[in-house]
Amino acid sequence: MVEIIAGEKGKGKTKYLLDKVNDSVKSASGNIVYLDKSQKHMYELNNKVRLINVTDFPVSNCDEFLGFICGIVSQDHDLQEMYLDSFLTIANIEDGQLNHAIEKLDIISEKYNVKFVLSVSRNEADLPECAKAKIIVSL
C-alpha cells in the first residue's frame, strides 16, 4: 500500500509524517524505516525507527532510488513500513516520473508486504490521477 501526504512546501507535511510514524511504532509488529534528506529529525523520531539519510548514498535518479528501496527491503525481512519525507527530492523525481515511481512502489509494496507513506510537496490538483487516489491528507 502506498499512501501520500500532499501539500505545498511549508504546510506541515513533515510534522504530520513524524506524528504518524511515531504513532505507528506503538502498534507495529515489524520494523519501520524513515528516509529523509538529512539527519535533522533524528531526535523527533522514536528510537525504534531507523532513520536513513538518503543523501549519504550515491543516488542520483529515480531508478537508482527505487533500487535503493529494494536494497533496504531485501535486507530486512521484518520491514513493515517505510516513511519517505521530501519524496520528490530524495527520489530525484523529475517531471513525468511520479507515475513510474508510484507504480514501482506499489509493486514492491504488494510483493513484500511493506507499506509506504510519502510526503509529496505538491498540491493535490497538481498530482497525476494515480497519485490522487492514494492521498490520505492534503494540506
Side-chain angles (χ1 to χ4, degrees):
M1 172 191 316
V2 176
E3 296 179 345
I4 296 175
I5 299 165
E8 290 294 321
K9 186 175 169 117
K11 293 287 186 181
K13 294 179 304 300
T14 297
K15 175 157 180 16
Y16 185 88
L17 195 66
L18 289 166
D19 290 344
K20 188 166 175 55
V21 70
N22 286 329
D23 193 47
S24 82
V25 167
K26 299 170 189 166
S27 61
S29 57
N31 295 332
I32 298 174
V33 172
Y34 188 96
L35 271 60
D36 204 349
K37 62 185 180 205
S38 71
Q39 303 280 31
K40 188 167 111 179
H41 302 294
M42 179 189 310
Y43 300 109
E44 297 170 65
L45 286 169
N46 184 300
N47 65 351
K48 293 180 179 146
V49 177
R50 179 169 177 214
L51 172 66
I52 298 174
N53 180 357
V54 178
T55 60
D56 287 345
F57 299 89
V59 175
S60 57
N61 63 46
C62 180
D63 286 330
E64 287 179 2
F65 178 77
L66 292 167
F68 182 72
I69 294 284
C70 289
I72 294 168
V73 171
S74 74
Q75 290 299 304
D76 188 349
H77 298 289
D78 295 324
L79 185 61
Q80 184 175 343
E81 297 177 10
M82 286 187 82
Y83 292 81
L84 288 65
D85 197 6
S86 306
F87 178 67
L88 299 175
T89 303
I90 64 173
N92 298 294
I93 301 284
E94 295 181 16
D95 289 338
Q97 290 184 315
L98 189 55
N99 273 347
H100 168 71
I102 290 173
E103 287 170 5
K104 293 290 186 180
L105 288 176
D106 261 334
I107 292 167
I108 296 165
S109 174
E110 290 296 317
K111 187 167 184 174
Y112 300 103
N113 199 27
V114 176
K115 175 180 165 184
F116 293 98
V117 182
L118 319 177
S119 161
V120 178
S121 292
R122 285 203 186 144
N123 279 326
E124 182 175 352
D126 298 335
L127 292 173
E129 287 305 315
C130 80
K132 287 181 183 175
K134 298 178 181 309
I135 292 176
I136 56 169
V137 175
S138 182
L139 302 170

CSV table of all heavy atoms in Angstrom, one decimal, residues 33 35-36 50 52-59 61-75 82 84 90 108:
chain,number,residue,atom,x,y,z
A,33,VAL,N,11.2,2.1,8.9
A,33,VAL,CA,12.3,2.9,8.3
A,33,VAL,C,11.8,4.3,7.9
A,33,VAL,O,10.7,4.4,7.3
A,33,VAL,CB,12.9,2.2,7.2
A,33,VAL,CG1,14.0,3.1,6.5
A,33,VAL,CG2,13.6,0.9,7.6
A,35,LEU,N,13.0,7.5,5.7
A,35,LEU,CA,14.0,8.1,4.8
A,35,LEU,C,13.8,9.6,4.7
A,35,LEU,O,12.7,10.1,4.5
A,35,LEU,CB,13.8,7.5,3.4
A,35,LEU,CG,14.6,6.2,3.1
A,35,LEU,CD1,14.2,5.1,4.0
A,35,LEU,CD2,14.4,5.8,1.6
A,36,ASP,N,15.0,10.3,4.7
A,36,ASP,CA,14.9,11.8,4.7
A,36,ASP,C,16.1,12.3,4.0
A,36,ASP,O,17.1,11.5,3.6
A,36,ASP,CB,14.9,12.3,6.1
A,36,ASP,CG,14.3,13.7,6.2
A,36,ASP,OD1,14.0,14.3,5.2
A,36,ASP,OD2,14.0,14.1,7.4
A,50,ARG,N,14.2,3.4,12.3
A,50,ARG,CA,15.6,3.6,11.7
A,50,ARG,C,15.5,4.7,10.7
A,50,ARG,O,14.8,4.7,9.7
A,50,ARG,CB,15.9,2.3,10.9
A,50,ARG,CG,17.3,2.4,10.3
A,50,ARG,CD,17.8,1.1,9.8
A,50,ARG,NE,19.0,1.3,9.1
A,50,ARG,CZ,19.4,0.6,8.1
A,50,ARG,NH1,18.6,-0.4,7.6
A,50,ARG,NH2,20.6,0.8,7.5
A,52,ILE,N,17.3,6.9,7.8
A,52,ILE,CA,18.3,6.8,6.8
A,52,ILE,C,18.3,8.1,6.0
A,52,ILE,O,17.3,8.5,5.5
A,52,ILE,CB,18.0,5.6,5.8
A,52,ILE,CG1,18.0,4.3,6.5
A,52,ILE,CG2,19.0,5.6,4.6
A,52,ILE,CD1,17.6,3.1,5.6
A,53,ASN,N,19.5,8.7,6.0
A,53,ASN,CA,19.7,9.9,5.3
A,53,ASN,C,20.1,9.5,3.8
A,53,ASN,O,21.2,9.1,3.6
A,53,ASN,CB,20.8,10.7,5.9
A,53,ASN,CG,21.1,12.0,5.2
A,53,ASN,OD1,20.5,12.3,4.2
A,53,ASN,ND2,22.0,12.8,5.8
A,54,VAL,N,19.2,9.7,2.9
A,54,VAL,CA,19.4,9.2,1.5
A,54,VAL,C,20.6,10.0,0.9
A,54,VAL,O,21.3,9.4,0.0
A,54,VAL,CB,18.2,9.4,0.7
A,54,VAL,CG1,18.4,9.0,-0.8
A,54,VAL,CG2,17.0,8.6,1.3
A,55,THR,N,20.9,11.2,1.3
A,55,THR,CA,22.0,12.0,0.7
A,55,THR,C,23.3,11.4,1.0
A,55,THR,O,24.3,11.8,0.4
A,55,THR,CB,21.9,13.5,1.0
A,55,THR,OG1,22.0,13.6,2.4
A,55,THR,CG2,20.6,14.1,0.5
A,56,ASP,N,23.4,10.5,2.0
A,56,ASP,CA,24.7,9.8,2.3
A,56,ASP,C,25.1,8.8,1.3
A,56,ASP,O,26.2,8.3,1.3
A,56,ASP,CB,24.6,9.1,3.7
A,56,ASP,CG,24.6,10.1,4.9
A,56,ASP,OD1,24.9,11.3,4.7
A,56,ASP,OD2,24.2,9.7,6.0
A,57,PHE,N,24.2,8.5,0.4
A,57,PHE,CA,24.4,7.4,-0.6
A,57,PHE,C,24.4,8.0,-2.0
A,57,PHE,O,23.7,9.0,-2.3
A,57,PHE,CB,23.3,6.3,-0.5
A,57,PHE,CG,23.3,5.7,0.9
A,57,PHE,CD1,22.6,6.2,1.9
A,57,PHE,CD2,24.1,4.6,1.1
A,57,PHE,CE1,22.6,5.6,3.2
A,57,PHE,CE2,24.1,4.0,2.4
A,57,PHE,CZ,23.4,4.5,3.4
A,58,PRO,N,25.1,7.4,-3.0
A,58,PRO,CA,25.2,7.9,-4.3
A,58,PRO,C,23.9,7.6,-5.2
A,58,PRO,O,24.0,6.8,-6.1
A,58,PRO,CB,26.4,7.3,-4.9
A,58,PRO,CG,26.5,6.0,-4.2
A,58,PRO,CD,26.0,6.2,-2.8
A,59,VAL,N,22.8,8.2,-4.8
A,59,VAL,CA,21.5,8.0,-5.5
A,59,VAL,C,21.3,9.3,-6.3
A,59,VAL,O,21.1,10.4,-5.7
A,59,VAL,CB,20.4,7.8,-4.5
A,59,VAL,CG1,19.1,7.7,-5.3
A,59,VAL,CG2,20.6,6.5,-3.7
A,61,ASN,N,19.2,9.4,-9.5
A,61,ASN,CA,18.0,9.4,-10.3
A,61,ASN,C,16.9,8.5,-9.7
A,61,ASN,O,17.1,7.8,-8.8
A,61,ASN,CB,18.3,9.1,-11.8
A,61,ASN,CG,18.8,7.7,-12.0
A,61,ASN,OD1,18.2,6.8,-11.5
A,61,ASN,ND2,19.8,7.6,-12.8
A,62,CYS,N,15.7,8.6,-10.3
A,62,CYS,CA,14.6,7.9,-9.8
A,62,CYS,C,14.8,6.3,-9.7
A,62,CYS,O,14.5,5.7,-8.7
A,62,CYS,CB,13.3,8.2,-10.6
A,62,CYS,SG,11.8,7.4,-10.0
A,63,ASP,N,15.3,5.8,-10.8
A,63,ASP,CA,15.6,4.3,-10.9
A,63,ASP,C,16.6,3.9,-9.8
A,63,ASP,O,16.4,2.8,-9.2
A,63,ASP,CB,15.9,3.9,-12.3
A,63,ASP,CG,14.7,3.9,-13.2
A,63,ASP,OD1,13.6,3.7,-12.7
A,63,ASP,OD2,14.9,4.1,-14.4
A,64,GLU,N,17.6,4.7,-9.6
A,64,GLU,CA,18.6,4.3,-8.6
A,64,GLU,C,18.0,4.4,-7.2
A,64,GLU,O,18.2,3.5,-6.4
A,64,GLU,CB,19.8,5.3,-8.6
A,64,GLU,CG,20.7,5.1,-9.8
A,64,GLU,CD,21.9,6.1,-9.8
A,64,GLU,OE1,22.0,6.9,-8.9
A,64,GLU,OE2,22.7,6.0,-10.8
A,65,PHE,N,17.1,5.3,-7.0
A,65,PHE,CA,16.4,5.4,-5.7
A,65,PHE,C,15.5,4.2,-5.5
A,65,PHE,O,15.5,3.6,-4.4
A,65,PHE,CB,15.5,6.7,-5.7
A,65,PHE,CG,14.7,6.8,-4.4
A,65,PHE,CD1,15.3,7.2,-3.2
A,65,PHE,CD2,13.4,6.5,-4.4
A,65,PHE,CE1,14.6,7.3,-2.0
A,65,PHE,CE2,12.6,6.6,-3.2
A,65,PHE,CZ,13.3,7.0,-2.0
A,66,LEU,N,14.8,3.7,-6.6
A,66,LEU,CA,14.0,2.5,-6.4
A,66,LEU,C,14.8,1.3,-6.2
A,66,LEU,O,14.4,0.4,-5.4
A,66,LEU,CB,13.1,2.4,-7.7
A,66,LEU,CG,12.0,3.4,-7.9
A,66,LEU,CD1,11.5,3.4,-9.3
A,66,LEU,CD2,10.9,3.3,-6.8
A,67,GLY,N,16.0,1.3,-6.7
A,67,GLY,CA,16.9,0.2,-6.4
A,67,GLY,C,17.4,0.3,-5.0
A,67,GLY,O,17.6,-0.8,-4.3
A,68,PHE,N,17.6,1.5,-4.5
A,68,PHE,CA,18.0,1.7,-3.1
A,68,PHE,C,16.9,1.2,-2.2
A,68,PHE,O,17.2,0.5,-1.2
A,68,PHE,CB,18.2,3.2,-2.9
A,68,PHE,CG,18.6,3.6,-1.5
A,68,PHE,CD1,19.9,3.4,-1.1
A,68,PHE,CD2,17.8,4.3,-0.7
A,68,PHE,CE1,20.3,3.8,0.2
A,68,PHE,CE2,18.2,4.8,0.5
A,68,PHE,CZ,19.4,4.5,1.0
A,69,ILE,N,15.6,1.5,-2.5
A,69,ILE,CA,14.5,1.0,-1.7
A,69,ILE,C,14.5,-0.6,-1.7
A,69,ILE,O,14.3,-1.2,-0.7
A,69,ILE,CB,13.2,1.5,-2.3
A,69,ILE,CG1,13.0,3.0,-2.2
A,69,ILE,CG2,12.0,0.8,-1.7
A,69,ILE,CD1,12.7,3.5,-0.8
A,70,CYS,N,14.7,-1.2,-2.9
A,70,CYS,CA,14.7,-2.6,-3.0
A,70,CYS,C,15.8,-3.2,-2.1
A,70,CYS,O,15.7,-4.3,-1.5
A,70,CYS,CB,14.9,-3.1,-4.4
A,70,CYS,SG,13.4,-2.8,-5.4
A,71,GLY,N,17.0,-2.5,-2.1
A,71,GLY,CA,18.1,-3.0,-1.2
A,71,GLY,C,17.7,-3.0,0.2
A,71,GLY,O,18.0,-3.9,1.0
A,72,ILE,N,17.0,-2.0,0.7
A,72,ILE,CA,16.6,-1.9,2.1
A,72,ILE,C,15.6,-3.0,2.4
A,72,ILE,O,15.7,-3.7,3.4
A,72,ILE,CB,15.9,-0.5,2.4
A,72,ILE,CG1,17.0,0.6,2.3
A,72,ILE,CG2,15.3,-0.5,3.7
A,72,ILE,CD1,16.4,2.0,2.3
A,73,VAL,N,14.6,-3.2,1.5
A,73,VAL,CA,13.6,-4.2,1.6
A,73,VAL,C,14.2,-5.6,1.7
A,73,VAL,O,13.9,-6.5,2.5
A,73,VAL,CB,12.5,-4.1,0.5
A,73,VAL,CG1,11.6,-5.3,0.5
A,73,VAL,CG2,11.7,-2.8,0.6
A,74,SER,N,15.2,-5.8,0.8
A,74,SER,CA,15.9,-7.2,0.7
A,74,SER,C,16.7,-7.5,2.0
A,74,SER,O,16.8,-8.7,2.3
A,74,SER,CB,16.8,-7.3,-0.5
A,74,SER,OG,17.9,-6.5,-0.3
A,75,GLN,N,17.1,-6.5,2.7
A,75,GLN,CA,18.0,-6.8,3.9
A,75,GLN,C,17.2,-6.8,5.2
A,75,GLN,O,17.8,-7.1,6.2
A,75,GLN,CB,19.0,-5.7,4.0
A,75,GLN,CG,20.1,-5.8,2.9
A,75,GLN,CD,20.8,-7.1,2.9
A,75,GLN,OE1,21.4,-7.4,4.0
A,75,GLN,NE2,20.8,-7.8,1.9
A,82,MET,N,7.6,2.0,5.6
A,82,MET,CA,8.7,2.9,5.2
A,82,MET,C,8.0,4.3,5.0
A,82,MET,O,7.0,4.4,4.3
A,82,MET,CB,9.4,2.5,3.9
A,82,MET,CG,10.3,1.4,4.0
A,82,MET,SD,11.2,1.1,2.6
A,82,MET,CE,12.5,2.3,2.7
A,84,LEU,N,8.7,8.1,3.7
A,84,LEU,CA,9.6,8.8,2.8
A,84,LEU,C,9.3,10.3,2.8
A,84,LEU,O,8.3,10.7,2.2
A,84,LEU,CB,9.5,8.3,1.4
A,84,LEU,CG,10.1,6.9,1.1
A,84,LEU,CD1,9.3,5.8,1.9
A,84,LEU,CD2,10.1,6.6,-0.3
A,90,ILE,N,14.3,13.3,-2.4
A,90,ILE,CA,15.1,12.2,-2.1
A,90,ILE,C,15.1,11.2,-3.3
A,90,ILE,O,16.1,10.5,-3.5
A,90,ILE,CB,14.8,11.5,-0.8
A,90,ILE,CG1,13.4,10.9,-0.7
A,90,ILE,CG2,15.1,12.5,0.4
A,90,ILE,CD1,13.1,10.1,0.5
A,108,ILE,N,6.4,-3.2,-5.3
A,108,ILE,CA,7.3,-3.6,-4.2
A,108,ILE,C,6.4,-3.8,-2.9
A,108,ILE,O,6.6,-4.8,-2.2
A,108,ILE,CB,8.4,-2.5,-3.9
A,108,ILE,CG1,9.3,-2.4,-5.1
A,108,ILE,CG2,9.1,-2.8,-2.6
A,108,ILE,CD1,10.2,-1.2,-5.1
